[in-house]
Amino acid sequence: MTESAPGRPAQIDRHIERVLSDTDEVGLPLVRDVLPESSDRWYGLLVVAVYESLADSRDTEIVLPAAAAIELLRGYVRLRSRLLVRLADNHAHSLTTDRTSSLLAGDYLYTAAFSALPTLSDTPSGDCFAVLTSVLETITDAFARTYAAAESTDHDQAMLVDDTAGSLGEGAALLGAVLAGIEGPNRRDVARFGRGLSTARQSARILDADPSEAIVVPPRFDETQLRALADRRRDDANRALDALPETVDVARLRAFVASDEPTRDPTDQATDGDALE
């Protein structure tokens, strides 16, 4: 990432704040409670990193609204995963949030995500809208499929991570590519990179969590299965980078990958319902 990267989370937060200016009026404190819990703004930073690697001119202000949008959708995923854990109630947990408040706050967050998308006249906002819609549909289907089939021994629980965290990563990378004006096979390779990197990252967070923590999502995940998925997606991400043309600043993307490799604070563990954040 660039030297200015450490300031990017604050820039993304400013755009989030613009969208959430009426949360106090609508009485949804959960909206503000859930967003600071993802303080690294990793998905938003992925949007920026992809854009800066692909764009001819790097006007970061153009891409920050999309970075805010994917972070708002991330908040929605966090709230929905917690709510589904409560409703399934198949595992020990400490989630006590009111169900109605969770539903309303989640609905507000995904609506806010679409509201945050860039609206400049020279920005392909329709493509950005389509990307966010596809991500939301995939995540919604994954939640429905996973919790409806939770008792099935044939159900691949690890794929919940791929279809939620992986979809968020794919969406983040695609938003960056769209705003950079990238189309065709290169856009598909960028999507593979985002999904692979995000799925591998989130799988590692689950696998590395403190055993004393109550990891309740995905339900009854198989460690071997999840580790195999992480390895496949990590390979996918690397192959996707290798497939990009020389005109792409791949070094910038590799630096983004390296900046997130296991150096995080060991006290920063996943907690109840956070496995899909």
Side-chain angles (χ1 to χ4, degrees):
M1 289 184 286
T2 65
E3 292 181 1
S4 60
R8 294 280 167 72
Q11 291 176 295
I12 294 169
D13 281 339
R14 283 197 292 274
H15 282 270
I16 290 174
E17 186 59 34
R18 292 174 190 172
V19 181
L20 301 184
S21 58
D22 66 342
T23 50
D24 294 334
E25 296 176 14
V26 298
L28 293 174
L30 267 180
V31 170
R32 292 192 177 278
D33 289 345
V34 73
L35 289 172
E37 294 173 0
S38 301
S39 57
D40 64 355
R41 301 291 180 242
W42 186 85
Y43 290 96
L45 291 174
L46 177 58
V47 178
V48 176
V50 169
Y51 170 80
E52 291 186 335
S53 298
L54 300 172
D56 293 330
S57 60
R58 295 170 182 169
D59 182 1
T60 305
E61 282 301 315
I62 290 177
V63 77
L64 288 174
I70 202 70
E71 285 293 336
L72 288 161
L73 196 60
R74 177 189 195 179
Y76 161 80
V77 173
R78 179 188 287 272
L79 276 179
R80 276 295 187 269
S81 66
R82 290 180 176 181
L83 179 61
L84 288 167
V85 166
R86 286 199 63 205
L87 294 176
D89 206 25
N90 292 327
H91 304 268
H93 59 77
S94 59
L95 306 178
T96 57
T97 306
D98 177 73
R99 295 179 184 181
T100 301
S101 297
S102 293
L103 281 169
L104 291 174
D107 289 348
Y108 182 96
L109 280 166
Y110 84 71
T111 301
F114 285 94
S115 299
L117 287 174
T119 56
L120 299 175
S121 59
D122 59 348
T123 296
S125 56
D127 284 353
C128 290
F129 188 93
V131 168
L132 218 59
T133 299
S134 178
V135 171
L136 180 60
E137 289 176 349
T138 301
I139 289 171
T140 301
D141 288 347
F143 279 148
R145 184 176 64 249
T146 297
Y147 283 91
E151 299 305 317
S152 171
T153 56
D154 295 328
H155 187 68
D156 186 351
Q157 303 290 2
M159 291 306 294
L160 178 62
V161 178
D162 198 35
D163 287 339
T164 50
S167 292
L168 282 172
E170 179 176 320
L174 280 173
L175 287 172
V178 166
L179 293 169
I182 300 302
E183 298 180 352
N186 290 341
R187 188 185 288 191
R188 289 194 293 273
D189 288 331
V190 169
R192 285 175 55 212
F193 166 71
R195 174 177 285 270
L197 182 62
S198 183
T199 297
R201 175 182 185 269
Q202 200 58 40
S203 298
R205 288 176 64 86
I206 297 171
L207 293 166
D208 294 344
D210 187 333
S212 66
E213 298 287 343
I215 300 299
V216 292
V217 180
R220 296 193 309 278
F221 74 88
D222 181 276
E223 180 175 337
T224 301
Q225 186 182 65
L226 186 60
R227 199 174 299 280
L229 174 65
D231 289 342
R232 289 199 306 274
R233 290 294 178 256
R234 192 175 293 107
D235 289 343
D236 283 346
N238 287 327
R239 284 197 296 269
L241 286 183
D242 291 340
L244 290 171
E246 293 182 359
T247 53
V248 174
D249 188 357
V250 175
R252 185 180 296 264
L253 292 178
R254 294 194 188 281
F256 180 85
V257 175
S259 71
D260 194 58
E261 287 178 350
T263 56
R264 65 185 178 89
D265 187 335
T267 63
D268 178 24
Q269 302 293 352
T271 56
D272 284 346
D274 293 348
L276 301 180
E277 62 83 26

